[in-house]
Amino acid sequence: MRISLTVNGKQYSHDVEPRLSLAHYLREVLNLTGTHIGCDTSSCGACTITLNGDAVKSCTLLAVQADGCEIVTIEGMANGAELHPIQESFKENHGLQCGFCTPGMVMTASDILKNNPNPTEEEIRHGLEGNFCRCTGYHNIVKSIQQAAEKINQ
Amino acid sequence: MGSYIGKSVKRREDARFLKGEGKYTDDIKLPNMTHMAFVRSPYASANVLSVDTSEAEKAEGVVAVFTAEDGCGQYGVPCGWQVNFKNGETMREPQHPLLAKDKIRHVGEPVAIVIAETQALARDAAELVAVEYEELPAVTNPKEAMKDGAPKVHDQFPDNMAFDWCIGNDRAEVEAALEKAHHVTELEFINQRLAPNAIEPRSYIADYDVNGDKWTLYTSTQNPHLIRLLMCAFVLGIPEHKVRVVSYDVGGGFGSKIYHYTEEALVTWVSREIARPVKWTADRSEAFLMDAHGRDHVVKSKMGFDKEGHIVAHLTDEYCSMGAYLSTFAPAIPTYLHGTLFQGLYKTPLIHLNVVAPFTHTVPVDAYRGAGRPEATYLIERLVSKGAKEMGMDPAEIRFKNFIEPFDGVNQPGYQTQVALQYDSGNYAPALEKALDAIGYKDFRKEQAEARKNGKLLGLGISTWIEGCGIAPSAVVGALGARAGLYEVGHVRVQPTGKVSVYTGTHSHGQGHETAFAQFVADRLGIPMDDVEIIHGDTEQVAFGMGTYGSRSLSVGGSAIVKSIEKVLEKGAKIAAHKLEASVEDLEYAGGKWTVKGTDKSISFGDVSLTAYVPHDYPQGLEPGLDFSSFYDPANFTFPFGAHLAIVEVDQDTGKVDLKRFVTCDDVGNIINPMIVDGQIHGGVVQGIGQALLEEVVFDESGQMITGSYMDYAMPRADDLPMIETHNTVTPCPHNPLGVKGAGEAGAIGSTPAVVNAVVDALWHLGVRDIQMPLTPQRVWKAMQQ
């Protein structure tokens, strides 16, 4: 099936198998390997992207369902060498270790802050419920998002 | 310049990860690459009657289909540690085949592999392989496996036993002391099986170069050199120099990526058969089924106390599962990485541990964060707290009473335990004092009593832990059964311009070596950190190494680098002396330059480096170049320690445990980067909390894993947890040059018993003395009703 969509501001059009997941489309067809796949049950959140502005797990969607949509992946967050304030805060607060869950965490964080610019710790933790991290114990991820909120609100 | 050590320098590896530009194995695509999919057994125990691959071979996009008949890896995957029976009999060691031939011994065991042009086509074709099985009875619990008539895992070992081992004092003497003890506390429980769950599933790509008769294996491993050695020498019989093993970015390990797995050897073997690159990446179901699990001990313990609360004896009997085969380090985990920590932090005079290690119809068990030491700490710390409360004593007070006196390992000797090892240095009371102050221990009992009046069940749990890490002296581990040395290699290559490339045999999969190692290298050389690069994870660049596990990277790998730095500075001084027309004895090195003492005559590190590579005016007889490699074999393990405290509130109606606070005071020796150390503690603590409250691998009676996905296996999530309040004391390691002890496993070792002790404390007045982990609401609620 033919699909056309926008990813990180660029237009793409491809013939894809109907069963191809959006996560695999991003990784295998567009070579955007920052979107990671950590499970097969849409539980871990490593594949989180934004679709028309909302965070979604790209493994839950087929590529054909994204036809006509606007997608941002982790590769679309930084402005060249200049990190997005969320990425910057993750670095400053050691909000990542092995880095595998990080793209999904950053994309989820962007969704949390879009919907709630001043979240409490509890609201951040609730917002991260669908993203697993095995390295950080979430402590510094929560701190990173708290600091990102401050930066963005400045 | 200088003094990076002790500072929370931000990590240089972060930018690539934050931008989605990390290079994990599954991100790599090679031209002409094929994909591998497995046909795996749905049964835990079965005879394989027939395998028909004819339909699969005809399927779209299929390149090849292989079964055990095709002769891949006829020797199987080896075990790297030999633990003998207490009577001297040799450990029983079954062959671990790459593909099962006649017999299935755990769910997920592979029977055939399909290679196709895409991953999807490989999986489609794998569905077409027809395997006829005869299902047999299975046994998954290690104690059940030892009963008469239990289903046999390996026909040649009818009692299912891999070994029966013991450590410590004479059993009869320990039993006699328990008979005479004022009070004896007992526990019987299961230290449940856990799945490591690094978020990156394992991934391998083998690329065979027909013309050069050479391979490159890209692999998500914690120890590329060890994989190369095991795979080449023991599994495939390939000359070692013909294989380059590369592991760039690895998405978490926690032990599960130490071992040499069958899939690694299979992609390598297949790549030569089809003369094309082959990739395999596990999905999460395969990770649950195939990644080595952790823990799985059935435990019975007794601890005896005198009237004042001094521990007089400790006796434990355990059944510790090996799974269906012996994984790389498996026999060492419930023995030498477990029994050797039974001294804990206490002066216990008599200790005996007996371990029976059976085979079961389950995926192999091996090291998982802490590996044997969390299991030791859990049972000791539960016994101490339970014993104290039964005797009406304060659980903090009883610990202070039993702590080994402070010793620094320099002015006072190391502490000789009853269980083989000698602790390096320790000062245990201050860590507990600091943690108790931080949590407000003195006021807590009042708060608890008040809360109880208002119908709230609050509890505080204490755990004081020690571990043996920085693994380890080759002579010692050799005597304990290791089939390899456990030194480390550090190579310092000074470039002509004075920039420094450091090659380490350790491997970072989240620990931040690229930053922390550069900090101490820059400090030792007195040069900017930007002038130092750290390289790891490629056998073609790094000469040799033993990898990262057992909190060893900095204490062993860092020390190897220090040795090479010392050689660089020693040779540099000769060059500097020549250029400054002084004697080496008159020089001092500081701030990145050699200075003639008492003068302003000096020469910089950069100038000496250039002279070493452009030796026009050079000391006679001295070789050009400034490039040194060192092997460092430590004098002892390192022994970090600390105190973990948890406060919980238990919901009266549902039994749900709410973790309110978690306070740590850990002593990991000197600290290079506090930010990274804290991060290691946070992550470890949460894995330990996961064991206490949430995680458990469960099998049904037929051996089917019923927690084989994230829908069924409960991982800790952000909203299950509070912030982790970390503190430190510093007792340097006396035997390595950096004075460091290791922080990777500390969190996971200390935290589990603190949480369980807290829940039992909250429910003590209701008569609750123990609850089986994980402490799910159902189990807690049931305990409250009894």
Side-chain angles (χ1 to χ4, degrees), chain B residues 349-476:
Chain B
L350 290 165
I351 300 166
H352 186 87
L353 163 68
N354 196 88
V355 171
V356 172
F359 296 107
T360 59
H361 288 105
T362 61
V363 64
V365 178
D366 207 324
Y368 164 61
R369 204 165 192 171
R373 291 150 287 166
E375 298 93 314
T377 304
Y378 183 77
L379 69 89
I380 295 169
E381 292 306 295
R382 285 284 300 118
L383 287 166
V384 170
S385 281
K386 183 166 175 271
K389 289 173 82 75
E390 283 165 352
M391 293 170 72
M393 293 181 69
D394 181 297
E397 212 41 58
I398 202 167
R399 286 178 166 84
F400 286 120
K401 197 169 270 186
N402 282 285
F403 279 154
I404 295 160
E405 310 302 333
F407 58 103
D408 62 12
V410 181
N411 299 307
Q412 304 92 21
Y415 182 85
Q416 182 57 51
T417 69
Q418 302 296 317
V419 277
L421 298 184
Q422 191 184 66
Y423 293 167
D424 58 348
S425 59
N427 189 7
Y428 307 133
L432 179 55
E433 280 161 11
K434 203 166 171 179
L436 292 170
D437 284 348
I439 210 162
Y441 190 66
K442 280 187 187 140
D443 300 326
F444 176 79
R445 292 296 164 201
K446 247 190 283 165
E447 209 183 305
Q448 185 182 34
E450 277 301 307
R452 218 172 265 169
K453 276 189 227 157
N454 301 322
K456 275 175 141 187
L457 300 171
L458 282 186
L460 187 150
I462 301 176
S463 145
T464 47
W465 63 272
I466 187 163
E467 64 158 325
C469 64
I471 183 167
S474 295
V476 176

Side-chain angles (χ1 to χ4, degrees), chain B residues 623-635:
Chain B
E623 271 181 42
L626 210 45
D627 188 319
F628 288 99
S629 186
S630 307
F631 282 64
Y632 175 82
D633 203 347

